Amino acid sequence: MLAVYSPMSVGDYCKALNENLIRVNEEYQRNAGIWASYARSFFIESILLEYPIPKIFLYSKVDLRTRTTVKEIVDGQQRSHTLQQFYNKKFKLSMNIETEDLRGKNYTQLSEEYQSTFLSYSLPIDEFRGVQPSQIQESFRRMNASNVPLNDEEQRNAKFQGPFKWFVQRVAQRFSESLQAVGVFNRRDIVRMSDTRFYAEVIHSVLNGFVTTKGPQIDALYKRFNTTFEREDEFFSYLETGIESAIPLAAGGERELSRGYMFQSLALIAIDRQFNLGLKQQAVNAAPEVAAALQNGGMDMAILIDGLRDPESHPELTEFVNATKGTNVGRAKAVRFLYLDSAV
């Protein structure tokens, strides 16, 4: 066996890092300090809440100069650096993490219970012993070759490490279980990060109105806020208002309203009404004939749902039914918004 499972407590691991018994091998790892503040906080919060984390891989070798055994970090430098920095009281946790008791605190400010949890947490470590570097490289090549290809959202999550990525993770932590409960997402959607696309699309619509959104548009959103994202709290309020307002409608048991694109429209309606962002006027501008047809009277939600179930019985709803097909097309978004706004 090339690698031996050798778990180690965080306390022992950080002590070994401080004593230079565990070191970075830059042939394997990029420079430390790349993770953004929220990334570090999210990772430490996961430790303190005792969630599992990915394995750290070490390479054990004899240092002939010092006649001691040292361990080099093959994979896990960012995690190791973050653990060491928190252990050494070098940073405070973000004020935006979900666990209120942990916000803004460094290690010494934690309760004794949390300190004990941090120090005793068992790190999953695989240790290569008595092997050549070429064998380590081959081991990782084989592990990577058998991985399931990443979907667009997983690739985006891996590519971007700025504040917007971590904002989306914060939102997902807060709302994804609630959206699963009402059928907007299933468990697989959440595991494969499909929910993160939903949150990003809502923010994209708030910023850009009813335009077609594909992968490049969402990438551009992440790039725009990959260095700074000063409106985080503002956009969190938008999503909180929209999602919490739309959940009771989707929870009514009508599957049509819990489809992601329909739920998104309901959320945007609530956001626009609460914060007066001008989204309705943008929808009117994008589909003026639809807005004119709806001007004389409100739609009934039950009729809209029946129109989706039996389109032939509701020819007057053809425009609305068609707008549920090209779900990410700008005009379709505007039409859905106008019909649902009239019915809510």
Side-chain angles (χ1 to χ4, degrees), residues 97-116:
I97 57 177
E98 283 298 302
T99 311
E100 190 171 349
D101 290 347
L102 302 177
R103 292 174 185 165
K105 294 183 178 179
N106 63 24
Y107 170 77
T108 58
Q109 294 170 320
L110 298 176
S111 67
E112 289 186 0
E113 181 180 357
Y114 275 127
Q115 288 182 1
S116 176

Side-chain angles (χ1 to χ4, degrees), residues 157-317:
N157 180 67
K159 179 180 179 181
F160 296 101
Q161 294 299 325
F164 187 78
K165 173 257 184 77
W166 291 103
F167 165 75
V168 171
Q169 292 301 313
R170 173 190 171 199
V171 173
Q173 189 178 14
R174 169 69 174 81
F175 297 112
S176 291
E177 290 299 317
S178 299
L179 296 188
Q180 182 191 346
V182 296
V184 178
F185 303 114
N186 58 37
R187 177 62 60 185
R188 177 176 172 79
D189 292 332
I190 293 174
V191 169
R192 296 304 305 272
M193 306 189 76
S194 298
D195 55 325
T196 63
R197 173 66 177 250
F198 170 86
Y199 307 123
E201 285 193 342
V202 172
I203 296 302
H204 192 277
S205 293
V206 167
L207 288 168
N208 302 290
F210 299 102
V211 297
T212 300
T213 51
K214 296 183 179 180
Q217 285 73 36
I218 301 301
D219 285 343
L221 181 62
Y222 275 76
K223 289 178 183 176
R224 177 177 174 180
F225 298 116
N226 199 42
T227 302
T228 59
F229 185 41
E230 296 176 354
R231 300 174 68 184
E232 179 173 342
D233 290 340
E234 176 186 353
F235 282 115
F236 189 88
S237 295
Y238 291 162
L239 286 164
E240 183 176 49
T241 295
I243 291 170
E244 291 185 350
S245 297
I247 280 176
L249 296 171
E254 305 293 357
R255 175 67 185 117
E256 288 74 14
L257 297 183
S258 62
R259 299 187 189 280
Y261 56 87
M262 294 285 278
F263 192 90
Q264 185 179 134
S265 296
L266 293 171
L268 286 169
I269 289 166
I271 292 168
D272 192 48
R273 291 182 178 184
Q274 176 68 29
F275 297 98
N276 193 29
L277 301 180
L279 289 176
K280 183 172 182 178
Q281 185 57 52
Q282 292 183 52
V284 170
N285 294 342
E289 72 287 358
V290 173
L294 293 171
Q295 198 170 29
N296 295 329
M299 294 297 306
D300 186 283
M301 186 67 79
I303 293 176
L304 289 183
I305 292 171
D306 194 55
L308 294 175
R309 293 173 179 172
D310 185 12
E312 293 185 1
S313 298
H314 297 277
E316 76 282 4
L317 297 179

